[in-house]
PDB file of all heavy atoms in Angstrom:
ATOM      1  N   HIS A   1      -0.155 137.516   6.788  1.00 51.00           N
ATOM      2  CA  HIS A   1      -1.428 137.798   7.423  1.00 51.00           C
ATOM      3  C   HIS A   1      -1.241 138.554   8.699  1.00 51.00           C
ATOM      4  O   HIS A   1      -1.526 138.144   9.848  1.00 51.00           O
ATOM      5  CB  HIS A   1      -2.129 136.468   7.716  1.00 51.00           C
ATOM      6  CG  HIS A   1      -2.587 135.688   6.526  1.00 51.00           C
ATOM      7  ND1 HIS A   1      -3.626 136.019   5.816  1.00 51.00           N
ATOM      8  CD2 HIS A   1      -1.974 134.595   5.860  1.00 51.00           C
ATOM      9  CE1 HIS A   1      -3.715 135.075   4.756  1.00 51.00           C
ATOM     10  NE2 HIS A   1      -2.692 134.327   4.860  1.00 51.00           N
ATOM     11  N   ASP A   2      -0.754 139.787   8.563  1.00 52.00           N
ATOM     12  CA  ASP A   2      -0.547 140.583   9.735  1.00 52.00           C
ATOM     13  C   ASP A   2      -1.739 141.404  10.019  1.00 52.00           C
ATOM     14  O   ASP A   2      -2.096 142.366   9.230  1.00 52.00           O
ATOM     15  CB  ASP A   2       0.738 141.519   9.412  1.00 52.00           C
ATOM     16  CG  ASP A   2       1.047 142.408  10.581  1.00 52.00           C
ATOM     17  OD1 ASP A   2       0.552 142.118  11.721  1.00 52.00           O
ATOM     18  OD2 ASP A   2       1.819 143.384  10.421  1.00 52.00           O
ATOM     19  N   HIS A   3      -2.348 141.121  11.097  1.00 54.00           N
ATOM     20  CA  HIS A   3      -3.622 141.757  11.413  1.00 54.00           C
ATOM     21  C   HIS A   3      -3.370 142.861  12.452  1.00 54.00           C
ATOM     22  O   HIS A   3      -4.318 143.464  12.990  1.00 54.00           O
ATOM     23  CB  HIS A   3      -4.644 140.819  12.033  1.00 54.00           C
ATOM     24  CG  HIS A   3      -5.039 139.723  10.946  1.00 54.00           C
ATOM     25  ND1 HIS A   3      -5.726 140.038   9.757  1.00 54.00           N
ATOM     26  CD2 HIS A   3      -4.829 138.465  10.911  1.00 54.00           C
ATOM     27  CE1 HIS A   3      -5.970 138.957   9.054  1.00 54.00           C
ATOM     28  NE2 HIS A   3      -5.317 137.932   9.733  1.00 54.00           N
ATOM     29  N   GLY A   4      -2.148 143.018  12.867  1.00 60.00           N
ATOM     30  CA  GLY A   4      -1.825 144.044  13.873  1.00 60.00           C
ATOM     31  C   GLY A   4      -1.669 145.411  13.231  1.00 60.00           C
ATOM     32  O   GLY A   4      -2.146 145.637  12.140  1.00 60.00           O
ATOM     33  N   PRO A   5      -1.106 146.372  13.976  1.00 60.00           N
ATOM     34  CA  PRO A   5      -0.991 147.686  13.452  1.00 60.00           C
ATOM     35  C   PRO A   5      -0.150 147.699  12.108  1.00 60.00           C
ATOM     36  O   PRO A   5       0.757 146.896  12.107  1.00 60.00           O
ATOM     37  CB  PRO A   5      -0.248 148.493  14.592  1.00 60.00           C
ATOM     38  CG  PRO A   5      -0.404 147.678  15.814  1.00 60.00           C
ATOM     39  CD  PRO A   5      -0.548 146.220  15.296  1.00 60.00           C
ATOM     40  N   ARG A   6      -0.497 148.550  11.221  1.00 77.00           N
ATOM     41  CA  ARG A   6       0.262 148.646  10.009  1.00 77.00           C
ATOM     42  C   ARG A   6       1.700 149.203  10.328  1.00 77.00           C
ATOM     43  O   ARG A   6       1.790 150.266  10.871  1.00 77.00           O
ATOM     44  CB  ARG A   6      -0.423 149.499   8.946  1.00 77.00           C
ATOM     45  CG  ARG A   6      -1.467 148.698   8.203  1.00 77.00           C
ATOM     46  CD  ARG A   6      -1.668 149.265   6.846  1.00 77.00           C
ATOM     47  NE  ARG A   6      -2.143 150.665   6.914  1.00 77.00           N
ATOM     48  CZ  ARG A   6      -3.442 151.015   7.173  1.00 77.00           C
ATOM     49  NH1 ARG A   6      -4.296 150.144   7.442  1.00 77.00           N
ATOM     50  NH2 ARG A   6      -3.683 152.314   7.286  1.00 77.00           N
ATOM     51  N   LEU A   7       2.757 148.527   9.779  1.00 88.00           N
ATOM     52  CA  LEU A   7       4.140 148.994   9.851  1.00 88.00           C
ATOM     53  C   LEU A   7       4.359 150.072   8.795  1.00 88.00           C
ATOM     54  O   LEU A   7       3.922 149.867   7.653  1.00 88.00           O
ATOM     55  CB  LEU A   7       5.113 147.905   9.735  1.00 88.00           C
ATOM     56  CG  LEU A   7       5.116 146.797  10.859  1.00 88.00           C
ATOM     57  CD1 LEU A   7       5.992 145.719  10.475  1.00 88.00           C
ATOM     58  CD2 LEU A   7       5.470 147.407  12.154  1.00 88.00           C
ATOM     59  N   ARG A   8       5.015 151.116   9.215  1.00 91.00           N
ATOM     60  CA  ARG A   8       5.492 152.151   8.227  1.00 91.00           C
ATOM     61  C   ARG A   8       6.988 152.082   8.310  1.00 91.00           C
ATOM     62  O   ARG A   8       7.543 151.637   9.269  1.00 91.00           O
ATOM     63  CB  ARG A   8       5.029 153.454   8.702  1.00 91.00           C
ATOM     64  CG  ARG A   8       3.535 153.819   8.630  1.00 91.00           C
ATOM     65  CD  ARG A   8       3.307 155.145   9.077  1.00 91.00           C
ATOM     66  NE  ARG A   8       4.284 156.098   8.635  1.00 91.00           N
ATOM     67  CZ  ARG A   8       4.156 157.043   7.743  1.00 91.00           C
ATOM     68  NH1 ARG A   8       3.130 157.266   7.307  1.00 91.00           N
ATOM     69  NH2 ARG A   8       5.016 157.784   7.309  1.00 91.00           N
ATOM     70  N   THR A   9       7.584 152.703   7.280  1.00 94.00           N
ATOM     71  CA  THR A   9       9.066 152.898   7.301  1.00 94.00           C
ATOM     72  C   THR A   9       9.266 154.386   7.654  1.00 94.00           C
ATOM     73  O   THR A   9       8.843 155.256   6.862  1.00 94.00           O
ATOM     74  CB  THR A   9       9.712 152.600   5.953  1.00 94.00           C
ATOM     75  OG1 THR A   9       9.429 151.223   5.671  1.00 94.00           O
ATOM     76  CG2 THR A   9      11.215 152.873   6.121  1.00 94.00           C
ATOM     77  N   TRP A  10       9.703 154.661   8.877  1.00 95.00           N
ATOM     78  CA  TRP A  10       9.862 156.039   9.355  1.00 95.00           C
ATOM     79  C   TRP A  10      11.270 156.498   9.033  1.00 95.00           C
ATOM     80  O   TRP A  10      12.219 155.659   9.311  1.00 95.00           O
ATOM     81  CB  TRP A  10       9.660 156.023  10.843  1.00 95.00           C
ATOM     82  CG  TRP A  10       8.325 155.613  11.235  1.00 95.00           C
ATOM     83  CD1 TRP A  10       7.903 154.329  11.320  1.00 95.00           C
ATOM     84  CD2 TRP A  10       7.208 156.398  11.607  1.00 95.00           C
ATOM     85  NE1 TRP A  10       6.541 154.330  11.698  1.00 95.00           N
ATOM     86  CE2 TRP A  10       6.060 155.598  11.842  1.00 95.00           C
ATOM     87  CE3 TRP A  10       6.954 157.814  11.625  1.00 95.00           C
ATOM     88  CZ2 TRP A  10       4.839 156.099  12.213  1.00 95.00           C
ATOM     89  CZ3 TRP A  10       5.732 158.248  12.007  1.00 95.00           C
ATOM     90  CH2 TRP A  10       4.674 157.428  12.260  1.00 95.00           C
ATOM     91  N   LYS A  11      11.426 157.615   8.451  1.00 93.00           N
ATOM     92  CA  LYS A  11      12.820 158.197   8.116  1.00 93.00           C
ATOM     93  C   LYS A  11      13.031 159.498   8.867  1.00 93.00           C
ATOM     94  O   LYS A  11      12.037 160.236   9.037  1.00 93.00           O
ATOM     95  CB  LYS A  11      12.840 158.463   6.602  1.00 93.00           C
ATOM     96  CG  LYS A  11      12.717 157.094   5.779  1.00 93.00           C
ATOM     97  CD  LYS A  11      12.851 157.621   4.317  1.00 93.00           C
ATOM     98  CE  LYS A  11      12.858 156.343   3.410  1.00 93.00           C
ATOM     99  NZ  LYS A  11      11.590 155.584   3.284  1.00 93.00           N
ATOM    100  N   ASP A  12      14.235 159.717   9.259  1.00 92.00           N
ATOM    101  CA  ASP A  12      14.576 160.966   9.936  1.00 92.00           C
ATOM    102  C   ASP A  12      14.857 162.018   8.875  1.00 92.00           C
ATOM    103  O   ASP A  12      15.022 161.679   7.629  1.00 92.00           O
ATOM    104  CB  ASP A  12      15.697 160.881  10.932  1.00 92.00           C
ATOM    105  CG  ASP A  12      17.067 160.658  10.184  1.00 92.00           C
ATOM    106  OD1 ASP A  12      17.061 159.997   9.245  1.00 92.00           O
ATOM    107  OD2 ASP A  12      17.965 161.283  10.765  1.00 92.00           O
ATOM    108  N   ASN A  13      14.871 163.207   9.223  1.00 92.00           N
ATOM    109  CA  ASN A  13      14.977 164.368   8.302  1.00 92.00           C
ATOM    110  C   ASN A  13      16.498 164.521   7.749  1.00 92.00           C
ATOM    111  O   ASN A  13      16.717 165.335   6.936  1.00 92.00           O
ATOM    112  CB  ASN A  13      14.554 165.737   8.929  1.00 92.00           C
ATOM    113  CG  ASN A  13      15.326 166.013  10.259  1.00 92.00           C
ATOM    114  OD1 ASN A  13      16.215 165.345  10.579  1.00 92.00           O
ATOM    115  ND2 ASN A  13      14.793 167.015  10.974  1.00 92.00           N
ATOM    116  N   GLU A  14      17.440 163.765   8.195  1.00 90.00           N
ATOM    117  CA  GLU A  14      18.802 163.762   7.751  1.00 90.00           C
ATOM    118  C   GLU A  14      19.126 162.523   6.996  1.00 90.00           C
ATOM    119  O   GLU A  14      20.323 162.367   6.592  1.00 90.00           O
ATOM    120  CB  GLU A  14      19.721 164.075   8.919  1.00 90.00           C
ATOM    121  CG  GLU A  14      19.582 165.374   9.536  1.00 90.00           C
ATOM    122  CD  GLU A  14      20.440 165.526  10.849  1.00 90.00           C
ATOM    123  OE1 GLU A  14      21.428 164.790  10.896  1.00 90.00           O
ATOM    124  OE2 GLU A  14      19.993 166.311  11.704  1.00 90.00           O
ATOM    125  N   GLY A  15      18.249 161.584   6.891  1.00 88.00           N
ATOM    126  CA  GLY A  15      18.560 160.368   6.205  1.00 88.00           C
ATOM    127  C   GLY A  15      19.447 159.419   6.949  1.00 88.00           C
ATOM    128  O   GLY A  15      20.145 158.623   6.387  1.00 88.00           O
ATOM    129  N   LEU A  16      19.511 159.562   8.291  1.00 89.00           N
ATOM    130  CA  LEU A  16      20.411 158.803   9.119  1.00 89.00           C
ATOM    131  C   LEU A  16      19.791 157.410   9.503  1.00 89.00           C
ATOM    132  O   LEU A  16      20.558 156.450   9.731  1.00 89.00           O
ATOM    133  CB  LEU A  16      20.907 159.516  10.357  1.00 89.00           C
ATOM    134  CG  LEU A  16      21.649 160.763  10.143  1.00 89.00           C
ATOM    135  CD1 LEU A  16      21.948 161.513  11.467  1.00 89.00           C
ATOM    136  CD2 LEU A  16      22.979 160.530   9.381  1.00 89.00           C
ATOM    137  N   PHE A  17      18.542 157.364   9.641  1.00 88.00           N
ATOM    138  CA  PHE A  17      17.910 156.089  10.042  1.00 88.00           C
ATOM    139  C   PHE A  17      16.544 155.850   9.343  1.00 88.00           C
ATOM    140  O   PHE A  17      15.950 156.771   8.961  1.00 88.00           O
ATOM    141  CB  PHE A  17      17.784 155.996  11.568  1.00 88.00           C
ATOM    142  CG  PHE A  17      16.818 156.983  12.210  1.00 88.00           C
ATOM    143  CD1 PHE A  17      15.459 156.796  12.020  1.00 88.00           C
ATOM    144  CD2 PHE A  17      17.222 158.121  12.926  1.00 88.00           C
ATOM    145  CE1 PHE A  17      14.572 157.695  12.625  1.00 88.00           C
ATOM    146  CE2 PHE A  17      16.438 159.040  13.423  1.00 88.00           C
ATOM    147  CZ  PHE A  17      15.087 158.820  13.308  1.00 88.00           C
ATOM    148  N   GLU A  18      16.315 154.539   9.366  1.00 92.00           N
ATOM    149  CA  GLU A  18      14.929 154.104   8.914  1.00 92.00           C
ATOM    150  C   GLU A  18      14.545 153.151   9.947  1.00 92.00           C
ATOM    151  O   GLU A  18      15.299 152.254  10.363  1.00 92.00           O
ATOM    152  CB  GLU A  18      14.939 153.453   7.503  1.00 92.00           C
ATOM    153  CG  GLU A  18      15.098 154.385   6.365  1.00 92.00           C
ATOM    154  CD  GLU A  18      14.928 153.670   5.058  1.00 92.00           C
ATOM    155  OE1 GLU A  18      14.505 152.464   5.084  1.00 92.00           O
ATOM    156  OE2 GLU A  18      15.186 154.246   4.022  1.00 92.00           O
ATOM    157  N   ILE A  19      13.228 153.380  10.392  1.00 93.00           N
ATOM    158  CA  ILE A  19      12.661 152.384  11.404  1.00 93.00           C
ATOM    159  C   ILE A  19      11.461 151.823  10.851  1.00 93.00           C
ATOM    160  O   ILE A  19      10.509 152.579  10.453  1.00 93.00           O
ATOM    161  CB  ILE A  19      12.372 153.238  12.746  1.00 93.00           C
ATOM    162  CG1 ILE A  19      13.671 153.828  13.318  1.00 93.00           C
ATOM    163  CG2 ILE A  19      11.620 152.274  13.717  1.00 93.00           C
ATOM    164  CD1 ILE A  19      13.411 154.698  14.560  1.00 93.00           C
ATOM    165  N   GLN A  20      11.415 150.515  10.786  1.00 94.00           N
ATOM    166  CA  GLN A  20      10.168 149.843  10.453  1.00 94.00           C
ATOM    167  C   GLN A  20       9.318 149.737  11.709  1.00 94.00           C
ATOM    168  O   GLN A  20       9.762 149.087  12.692  1.00 94.00           O
ATOM    169  CB  GLN A  20      10.448 148.439   9.916  1.00 94.00           C
ATOM    170  CG  GLN A  20      10.804 148.396   8.474  1.00 94.00           C
ATOM    171  CD  GLN A  20       9.658 148.444   7.565  1.00 94.00           C
ATOM    172  OE1 GLN A  20       8.705 147.845   7.779  1.00 94.00           O
ATOM    173  NE2 GLN A  20       9.772 149.145   6.370  1.00 94.00           N
ATOM    174  N   GLY A  21       8.198 150.397  11.767  1.00 95.00           N
ATOM    175  CA  GLY A  21       7.417 150.311  12.993  1.00 95.00           C
ATOM    176  C   GLY A  21       6.002 150.826  12.812  1.00 95.00           C
ATOM    177  O   GLY A  21       5.718 151.438  11.845  1.00 95.00           O
ATOM    178  N   SER A  22       5.258 150.693  13.851  1.00 94.00           N
ATOM    179  CA  SER A  22       3.848 151.196  13.838  1.00 94.00           C
ATOM    180  C   SER A  22       3.908 152.194  14.842  1.00 94.00           C
ATOM    181  O   SER A  22       4.451 152.258  15.912  1.00 94.00           O
ATOM    182  CB  SER A  22       2.804 150.113  14.144  1.00 94.00           C
ATOM    183  OG  SER A  22       3.125 149.417  15.427  1.00 94.00           O
ATOM    184  N   PHE A  23       3.036 153.223  14.646  1.00 95.00           N
ATOM    185  CA  PHE A  23       2.872 154.400  15.514  1.00 95.00           C
ATOM    186  C   PHE A  23       2.026 154.000  16.766  1.00 95.00           C
ATOM    187  O   PHE A  23       1.092 153.262  16.690  1.00 95.00           O
ATOM    188  CB  PHE A  23       1.976 155.464  14.733  1.00 95.00           C
ATOM    189  CG  PHE A  23       1.714 156.682  15.556  1.00 95.00           C
ATOM    190  CD1 PHE A  23       2.603 157.640  15.916  1.00 95.00           C
ATOM    191  CD2 PHE A  23       0.402 156.824  16.108  1.00 95.00           C
ATOM    192  CE1 PHE A  23       2.297 158.772  16.656  1.00 95.00           C
ATOM    193  CE2 PHE A  23       0.060 157.859  16.947  1.00 95.00           C
ATOM    194  CZ  PHE A  23       1.086 158.853  17.188  1.00 95.00           C
ATOM    195  N   VAL A  24       2.667 154.315  17.913  1.00 95.00           N
ATOM    196  CA  VAL A  24       1.966 153.983  19.187  1.00 95.00           C
ATOM    197  C   VAL A  24       1.360 155.247  19.698  1.00 95.00           C
ATOM    198  O   VAL A  24       0.033 155.281  19.886  1.00 95.00           O
ATOM    199  CB  VAL A  24       2.982 153.383  20.166  1.00 95.00           C
ATOM    200  CG1 VAL A  24       2.303 153.190  21.562  1.00 95.00           C
ATOM    201  CG2 VAL A  24       3.682 152.295  19.667  1.00 95.00           C
ATOM    202  N   GLN A  25       2.019 156.398  19.993  1.00 96.00           N
ATOM    203  CA  GLN A  25       1.550 157.531  20.534  1.00 96.00           C
ATOM    204  C   GLN A  25       2.471 158.720  20.329  1.00 96.00           C
ATOM    205  O   GLN A  25       3.679 158.465  20.004  1.00 96.00           O
ATOM    206  CB  GLN A  25       1.221 157.315  22.114  1.00 96.00           C
ATOM    207  CG  GLN A  25       2.535 157.098  22.834  1.00 96.00           C
ATOM    208  CD  GLN A  25       2.383 156.913  24.355  1.00 96.00           C
ATOM    209  OE1 GLN A  25       1.541 157.618  24.917  1.00 96.00           O
ATOM    210  NE2 GLN A  25       3.155 156.082  24.923  1.00 96.00           N
ATOM    211  N   MET A  26       1.961 159.934  20.513  1.00 95.00           N
ATOM    212  CA  MET A  26       2.892 161.012  20.580  1.00 95.00           C
ATOM    213  C   MET A  26       2.738 161.761  21.970  1.00 95.00           C
ATOM    214  O   MET A  26       1.561 161.939  22.412  1.00 95.00           O
ATOM    215  CB  MET A  26       2.579 162.035  19.461  1.00 95.00           C
ATOM    216  CG  MET A  26       3.412 163.234  19.386  1.00 95.00           C
ATOM    217  SD  MET A  26       3.211 164.289  17.953  1.00 95.00           S
ATOM    218  CE  MET A  26       1.820 165.256  18.500  1.00 95.00           C
ATOM    219  N   ARG A  27       3.770 162.158  22.470  1.00 96.00           N
ATOM    220  CA  ARG A  27       3.696 162.873  23.800  1.00 96.00           C
ATOM    221  C   ARG A  27       4.958 163.756  23.892  1.00 96.00           C
ATOM    222  O   ARG A  27       6.158 163.410  23.612  1.00 96.00           O
ATOM    223  CB  ARG A  27       3.840 161.798  25.029  1.00 96.00           C
ATOM    224  CG  ARG A  27       3.540 162.445  26.302  1.00 96.00           C
ATOM    225  CD  ARG A  27       3.953 161.501  27.429  1.00 96.00           C
ATOM    226  NE  ARG A  27       3.190 160.225  27.352  1.00 96.00           N
ATOM    227  CZ  ARG A  27       3.609 159.088  27.823  1.00 96.00           C
ATOM    228  NH1 ARG A  27       4.773 159.002  28.479  1.00 96.00           N
ATOM    229  NH2 ARG A  27       2.887 158.030  27.687  1.00 96.00           N
ATOM    230  N   ASP A  28       4.777 164.988  24.308  1.00 95.00           N
ATOM    231  CA  ASP A  28       5.822 165.912  24.492  1.00 95.00           C
ATOM    232  C   ASP A  28       6.662 166.028  23.275  1.00 95.00           C
ATOM    233  O   ASP A  28       7.978 166.080  23.245  1.00 95.00           O
ATOM    234  CB  ASP A  28       6.697 165.519  25.687  1.00 95.00           C
ATOM    235  CG  ASP A  28       5.930 165.506  26.986  1.00 95.00           C
ATOM    236  OD1 ASP A  28       4.921 166.331  27.200  1.00 95.00           O
ATOM    237  OD2 ASP A  28       6.197 164.630  27.819  1.00 95.00           O
ATOM    238  N   HIS A  29       6.038 166.142  22.082  1.00 94.00           N
ATOM    239  CA  HIS A  29       6.781 166.280  20.857  1.00 94.00           C
ATOM    240  C   HIS A  29       7.733 165.117  20.530  1.00 94.00           C
ATOM    241  O   HIS A  29       8.705 165.314  19.820  1.00 94.00           O
ATOM    242  CB  HIS A  29       7.507 167.635  20.801  1.00 94.00           C
ATOM    243  CG  HIS A  29       6.628 168.865  20.942  1.00 94.00           C
ATOM    244  ND1 HIS A  29       5.739 169.249  20.011  1.00 94.00           N
ATOM    245  CD2 HIS A  29       6.450 169.656  22.063  1.00 94.00           C
ATOM    246  CE1 HIS A  29       5.049 170.359  20.469  1.00 94.00           C
ATOM    247  NE2 HIS A  29       5.455 170.533  21.660  1.00 94.00           N
ATOM    248  N   LYS A  30       7.307 164.009  21.070  1.00 96.00           N
ATOM    249  CA  LYS A  30       8.137 162.738  20.730  1.00 96.00           C
ATOM    250  C   LYS A  30       7.154 161.668  20.317  1.00 96.00           C
ATOM    251  O   LYS A  30       6.031 161.699  20.746  1.00 96.00           O
ATOM    252  CB  LYS A  30       8.918 162.136  21.938  1.00 96.00           C
ATOM    253  CG  LYS A  30      10.043 163.104  22.314  1.00 96.00           C
ATOM    254  CD  LYS A  30      11.067 162.428  23.304  1.00 96.00           C
ATOM    255  CE  LYS A  30      10.386 162.187  24.721  1.00 96.00           C
ATOM    256  NZ  LYS A  30      10.351 163.449  25.427  1.00 96.00           N
ATOM    257  N   VAL A  31       7.592 160.897  19.349  1.00 96.00           N
ATOM    258  CA  VAL A  31       6.723 159.797  18.756  1.00 96.00           C
ATOM    259  C   VAL A  31       7.255 158.451  19.263  1.00 96.00           C
ATOM    260  O   VAL A  31       8.413 158.170  19.203  1.00 96.00           O
ATOM    261  CB  VAL A  31       6.701 159.911  17.261  1.00 96.00           C
ATOM    262  CG1 VAL A  31       5.943 158.765  16.649  1.00 96.00           C
ATOM    263  CG2 VAL A  31       6.199 161.242  16.788  1.00 96.00           C
ATOM    264  N   GLN A  32       6.249 157.683  19.774  1.00 96.00           N
ATOM    265  CA  GLN A  32       6.699 156.327  20.265  1.00 96.00           C
ATOM    266  C   GLN A  32       6.331 155.341  19.114  1.00 96.00           C
ATOM    267  O   GLN A  32       5.142 155.384  18.637  1.00 96.00           O
ATOM    268  CB  GLN A  32       6.000 155.930  21.500  1.00 96.00           C
ATOM    269  CG  GLN A  32       6.508 154.521  22.005  1.00 96.00           C
ATOM    270  CD  GLN A  32       5.849 154.146  23.337  1.00 96.00           C
ATOM    271  OE1 GLN A  32       4.665 154.508  23.544  1.00 96.00           O
ATOM    272  NE2 GLN A  32       6.536 153.408  24.140  1.00 96.00           N
ATOM    273  N   LEU A  33       7.274 154.482  18.651  1.00 96.00           N
ATOM    274  CA  LEU A  33       7.065 153.616  17.579  1.00 96.00           C
ATOM    275  C   LEU A  33       7.340 152.145  18.134  1.00 96.00           C
ATOM    276  O   LEU A  33       8.149 151.966  19.022  1.00 96.00           O
ATOM    277  CB  LEU A  33       8.043 153.835  16.472  1.00 96.00           C
ATOM    278  CG  LEU A  33       8.070 155.293  15.845  1.00 96.00           C
ATOM    279  CD1 LEU A  33       9.173 155.315  14.790  1.00 96.00           C
ATOM    280  CD2 LEU A  33       6.712 155.565  15.191  1.00 96.00           C
ATOM    281  N   CYS A  34       6.464 151.270  17.682  1.00 95.00           N
ATOM    282  CA  CYS A  34       6.648 149.928  18.102  1.00 95.00           C
ATOM    283  C   CYS A  34       7.208 149.116  16.903  1.00 95.00           C
ATOM    284  O   CYS A  34       6.573 149.064  15.746  1.00 95.00           O
ATOM    285  CB  CYS A  34       5.324 149.250  18.455  1.00 95.00           C
ATOM    286  SG  CYS A  34       5.461 147.513  18.959  1.00 95.00           S
ATOM    287  N   LYS A  35       8.500 148.618  17.097  1.00 93.00           N
ATOM    288  CA  LYS A  35       9.094 147.975  15.926  1.00 93.00           C
ATOM    289  C   LYS A  35       8.627 146.543  15.720  1.00 93.00           C
ATOM    290  O   LYS A  35       7.960 146.063  16.535  1.00 93.00           O
ATOM    291  CB  LYS A  35      10.679 148.012  16.134  1.00 93.00           C
ATOM    292  CG  LYS A  35      11.235 149.383  16.315  1.00 93.00           C
ATOM    293  CD  LYS A  35      12.749 149.479  16.028  1.00 93.00           C
ATOM    294  CE  LYS A  35      13.519 148.907  17.238  1.00 93.00           C
ATOM    295  NZ  LYS A  35      14.955 149.228  17.044  1.00 93.00           N
ATOM    296  N   SER A  36       8.946 145.961  14.602  1.00 87.00           N
ATOM    297  CA  SER A  36       8.414 144.639  14.210  1.00 87.00           C
ATOM    298  C   SER A  36       8.858 143.579  15.165  1.00 87.00           C
ATOM    299  O   SER A  36       8.127 142.632  15.308  1.00 87.00           O
ATOM    300  CB  SER A  36       8.843 144.273  12.791  1.00 87.00           C
ATOM    301  OG  SER A  36      10.254 144.370  12.687  1.00 87.00           O
ATOM    302  N   ASP A  37       9.910 143.764  15.979  1.00 91.00           N
ATOM    303  CA  ASP A  37      10.342 142.801  16.933  1.00 91.00           C
ATOM    304  C   ASP A  37       9.603 142.987  18.250  1.00 91.00           C
ATOM    305  O   ASP A  37       9.880 142.338  19.244  1.00 91.00           O
ATOM    306  CB  ASP A  37      11.860 142.726  17.105  1.00 91.00           C
ATOM    307  CG  ASP A  37      12.403 144.078  17.560  1.00 91.00           C
ATOM    308  OD1 ASP A  37      11.639 144.990  17.849  1.00 91.00           O
ATOM    309  OD2 ASP A  37      13.613 144.198  17.681  1.00 91.00           O
ATOM    310  N   GLY A  38       8.834 144.007  18.347  1.00 93.00           N
ATOM    311  CA  GLY A  38       8.023 144.250  19.551  1.00 93.00           C
ATOM    312  C   GLY A  38       8.595 145.257  20.495  1.00 93.00           C
ATOM    313  O   GLY A  38       8.080 145.630  21.492  1.00 93.00           O
TER     314      GLY A  38
END
C-alpha cells in the first residue's frame, strides 16, 4: 500500500547501474531521485 511517489527503475545509458527511486526534480541537466530508503 505505497501511497507515496511511484518508484521507477532508472538505468544509465551504459548499463552500469540501476536505481530504484522516484523522480524529485531536474536542475542544471541533473536529475534528483529519491531512493526507496529515503
Side-chain angles (χ1 to χ4, degrees):
H1 295 279
D2 180 14
H3 300 292
R6 277 206 301 279
L7 294 175
R8 292 178 40 110
T9 300
W10 300 80
K11 297 181 172 71
D12 75 320
N13 55 10
E14 296 171 23
L16 296 178
F17 65 77
E18 284 188 10
I19 297 172
Q20 279 276 323
S22 55
F23 175 78
V24 180
Q25 62 176 327
M26 185 173 80
R27 188 194 302 155
D28 300 329
H29 301 287
K30 291 193 290 287
V31 176
Q32 187 180 29
L33 304 176
C34 181
K35 300 202 281 190
S36 50
D37 61 3

